[in-house]
Amino acid sequence: MEKIVSVYDSYLFFPVSKGKEEQLLEIFLEENGKRHKITEFMIPVDLAEDSSYGWDFLAAFPVKQFMGKSIVLSAKKAPAAFFEAILQGESWQNRMEKHPAVHFSTKTGWINDPNGLIFREGVYHLYYQYNPMNVSWNNMTWGHAESRDLIHWQEKDAVLFPDEQGVMFSGSAILNTKGKMNLPEDAIIYYYTTAGGISDWNEGKQFVQSIAWSTDGGRTLEKREEVCIPTIHMENRDPKVFYHEESKSFVMTLWLKDADYGIFRSQDMEHWEMCQQLTFPFTWECPDLFQLTTPEGESCWFFWTAGGSCFAGDFDGYTFTPHGAEQKAYITKRSYAAQTWSNTGDRVISVPWLRLENDGRNFTGAYGIPVEFSVKKTDKGYVLLQNPVSELFANSNLITDLEDGTDKDAKGVRVEEALAAKVRLKGRSKKICRWNINDTSVSYDPESGILQVEEEQFLVKKHSENILFLVDDIILEIFFDDGEKAGAFQLKGRDVSFFTDHDDFDNIELYRIR
């Protein structure tokens, strides 16, 4: 069936029926008797021919740029009730659901890799892989959110949608301070992977690296027709771009295939040449390359990959030379595809996607608390550290009133927002530390270095001296010894609570995070 819509407002809202069979929804612009396809989505549709249409949430599609024009909606197998349930308006409030307080998640839909992270004029931009039409992966689009403090986020309109070349995979952003591509110096340039061959619309197309830009502060993006790097290997992807001051060139890291990565250079931001190919066994996609400085003033570069495996080394603008063994930033596989923000000066700030299972709500996935990277030099080489950004505690207050837990020796708190717990362990203690967090049992054995969350065990390190817990909705993040080890977990309960036996610790501080 088809429906012709005369656009008079900012959004079309499509009914999403979770768990139903996905159908192809095509969106066309009709002008002067001709149709031009704008985009397409796979959307779960209730095929029952009922008078009323059952849906779980309404997915927003921005149409302000088509004001006064006609849009044709086509879904061959969808019943008339589906089209009748499509709304048009300035806004729509879906059923209110509990969300994490300080870990960004979208109101509805699926999210994965963070993209295009950039700081500009006091605003942190977070773009991300997004499926607005379901709570599972598909329809890769770039969603968008903004923040002034890295903690409190405002969801904005999605900016890049699937087209005839492919769907929109991961990428990065850089401020056009060198005035390239005949664009103003305050323009934002985006590099992303166009993933062809995903649907019939782009059948036969390949994975290529593409460019878009924004001249309105990142609110809307315009795609460049020409690709900047054609296909090298079948699914090469995830371009991360920065400017290397010492060699006066733009540098891009790119995943090629398997455990292979490429480093590229450009003088004009349009034409790129590979200057190095690297292999890091047992790693995968989403590369990043950044420089850190020790407190003593020594410089070190790190090559980063999607699973948090990273490598210290030297970089001269052409070649990265690793030194020492692989480091693993995470003790779990929950954190993935982290990327650093550009244009943040001396701060190197990163955020990972948290791979959370859907728990029945109308959204899937969240992002970790942004962390600031630092480095220390040890007798084993340079060690990457990650700690939550200082902004996290700017709106916090120390909790002094504790309540009794179900265990007669346990005390703790319950809060409506998020909670941070700073724990300092007794020196060389042999006693296993135990906590109950959102009805989830957590323990740490300082003698073995084993962290246990319910039945799962993770090797951290022996005799950690301090531990930071962040608890928010179903999310638990733990940082050991000033960020030397970190891990993210999915909790059993959503109601934030933290109980423990205080005799196990030298000191514990609990904070309510707003």
Side-chain angles (χ1 to χ4, degrees):
M1 290 188 66
E2 290 187 350
K3 180 177 183 177
I4 299 176
V5 176
S6 297
V7 179
Y8 61 82
D9 222 318
S10 299
Y11 300 94
L12 291 178
F13 296 96
F14 296 106
V16 176
S17 302
K18 295 187 303 183
K20 301 299 183 179
E21 182 181 348
E22 288 189 324
Q23 304 295 322
L24 177 64
L25 170 66
E26 298 177 282
I27 304 177
F28 301 87
L29 177 64
E30 188 165 74
E31 287 185 299
N32 303 319
K34 296 182 179 180
R35 288 185 179 182
H36 167 69
K37 188 169 179 177
I38 301 169
T39 192
E40 66 179 18
F41 298 102
M42 295 298 294
I43 182 170
V45 173
D46 187 348
L47 298 179
E49 292 285 355
D50 297 331
S51 57
S52 60
Y53 189 77
W55 49 267
D56 296 287
F57 65 88
L58 293 177
F61 178 67
V63 292
K64 187 181 297 184
Q65 69 271 36
F66 307 119
M67 200 80 74
K69 300 179 180 180
S70 294
I71 285 181
V72 179
L73 309 174
S74 175
K76 294 180 181 178
K77 292 185 179 181
F82 168 80
F83 290 97
E84 292 170 1
I86 297 171
L87 302 178
Q88 184 176 178
E90 174 61 32
S91 63
W92 172 267
Q93 182 64 59
N94 280 293
R95 174 171 58 89
M96 292 297 293
E97 293 184 303
K98 186 178 185 295
H99 278 65
V102 294
H103 289 76
F104 175 71
S105 59
T106 50
K107 295 181 179 68
T108 58
W110 160 281
I111 57 176
N112 53 284
D113 303 10
N115 301 156
L117 308 183
I118 188 168
F119 179 66
R120 179 184 180 274
E121 295 184 354
V123 176
Y124 293 92
H125 293 269
L126 166 65
Y127 301 88
Y128 47 87
Q129 294 286 276
Y130 180 41
N131 180 8
M133 301 296 171
N134 207 343
V135 294
S136 56
W137 187 95
N138 210 339
N139 306 313
M140 284 295 94
T141 296
W142 271 34
H144 181 208
E146 295 179 354
S147 174
R148 290 189 174 273
D149 64 1
L150 290 166
I151 304 302
H152 304 96
W153 295 90
Q154 184 176 8
E155 191 173 348
K156 299 292 185 179
D157 290 346
V159 294
L160 290 177
F161 295 92
D163 60 27
E164 68 275 13
Q165 302 302 320
V167 296
M168 306 292 101
F169 271 22
S170 293
S172 59
I174 183 173
L175 197 62
N176 190 36
T177 55
K178 305 300 180 183
K180 302 295 184 179
M181 299 176 60
N182 295 317
L183 291 169
E185 293 182 2
D186 63 350
I188 305 174
I189 311 298
Y190 302 84
Y191 294 85
Y192 64 96
T193 300
T194 302
I198 300 296
S199 72
D200 291 343
W201 190 21
N202 48 70
E203 184 179 6
K205 301 294 176 62
Q206 297 178 309
F207 280 47
V208 297
Q209 311 317 311
S210 302
I211 298 175
W213 63 80
S214 174
T215 55
D216 64 358
R219 274 65 173 183
T220 61
L221 274 61
E222 182 175 347
K223 296 174 181 175
R224 183 177 186 261
E225 289 187 7
E226 300 83 6
V227 304
C228 66
I229 299 181
T231 305
I232 300 172
H233 294 287
M234 185 172 63
E235 292 190 2
N236 46 195
R237 57 179 178 261
D238 311 330
K240 179 66 165 70
V241 174
F242 65 95
Y243 185 73
H244 186 251
E245 185 65 43
E246 289 74 14
S247 66
K248 305 299 182 186
S249 184
F250 297 92
V251 174
M252 176 193 295
T253 56
L254 186 71
W255 179 72
L256 301 178
K257 65 179 179 67
D258 302 326
D260 297 338
Y261 304 84
I263 294 179
F264 298 76
R265 286 173 56 86
S266 174
Q267 296 297 319
D268 60 7
M269 303 185 77
E270 300 178 67
H271 304 90
W272 296 83
E273 182 177 353
M274 186 160 65
C275 55
Q276 185 185 17
Q277 181 169 324
L278 308 93
T279 300
F280 295 112
F282 308 111
T283 68
W284 182 256
E285 58 185 19
C286 300
D288 203 345
L289 182 59
F290 49 84
Q291 186 178 27
L292 299 172
T293 303
T294 68
E296 295 76 27
E298 296 185 39
S299 176
C300 179
W301 286 82
F302 281 88
F303 195 100
W304 179 277
T305 64
S309 292
C310 58
F311 304 83
D314 298 322
F315 180 63
D316 62 4
Y318 296 82
T319 302
F320 176 78
T321 305
H323 301 301
E326 171 189 12
Q327 299 179 38
K328 292 186 178 296
Y330 309 127
I331 60 172
T332 70
K333 295 182 179 180
R334 195 71 70 179
S335 302
Y336 196 76
Q339 185 180 121
T340 54
W341 265 272
S342 68
N343 202 41
T344 53
D346 293 334
R347 302 181 75 187
V348 181
I349 303 170
S350 172
V351 67
W353 163 44
L354 300 183
R355 300 192 278 192
L356 305 174
E357 289 84 25
N358 183 270
D359 62 356
R361 288 179 283 186
N362 290 331
F363 65 94
T364 305
Y367 295 104
I369 289 295
V371 297
E372 186 162 355
F373 286 151
S374 59
V375 62
K376 69 177 180 179
K377 189 175 183 181
T378 71
D379 56 0
K380 295 181 180 180
Y382 293 100
V383 176
L384 181 82
L385 306 176
Q386 55 179 321
N387 282 287
V389 291
S390 58
E391 290 89 341
L392 177 66
F393 290 95
N395 293 307
S396 68
N397 61 288
L398 184 64
I399 300 172
T400 56
D401 296 327
L402 303 180
E403 59 183 277
D404 293 330
T406 54
D407 187 299
K408 64 181 179 64
D409 294 324
K411 288 189 177 294
V413 295
R414 294 180 174 88
V415 300
E416 293 295 326
E417 310 89 358
L419 179 142
K422 296 180 178 180
V423 177
R424 187 170 70 245
L425 305 183
K426 290 181 178 179
R428 311 303 294 182
S429 173
K430 296 183 179 181
K431 187 175 181 181
I432 295 178
C433 307
R434 303 184 188 279
W435 302 271
N436 185 290
I437 305 173
N438 293 24
D439 298 322
T440 304
S441 63
V442 179
S443 66
Y444 170 67
D445 182 353
E447 285 284 274
S448 66
I450 296 293
L451 174 76
Q452 182 162 332
V453 180
E454 289 291 307
E455 301 303 319
E456 288 191 279
Q457 292 187 342
F458 308 89
L459 179 61
V460 183
K461 58 178 294 188
K462 297 180 180 180
H463 297 289
S464 287
E465 295 180 356
N466 57 75
I467 306 175
L468 171 63
F469 297 85
L470 300 180
V471 189
D472 184 13
D473 195 77
I474 59 172
I475 299 167
L476 169 64
E477 292 193 80
I478 307 179
F479 299 83
F480 290 84
D481 291 338
D482 300 319
E484 193 171 323
K485 297 287 185 180
F489 307 85
Q490 182 165 338
L491 298 169
K492 291 166 60 176
R494 300 174 188 170
D495 296 330
V496 176
S497 61
F498 187 97
F499 288 89
T500 187
D501 180 349
H502 282 245
D503 292 338
D504 294 346
F505 316 114
D506 274 348
N507 187 52
I508 181 168
E509 294 177 350
L510 299 173
Y511 295 86
R512 180 180 286 107
I513 306 293
R514 300 180 183 276

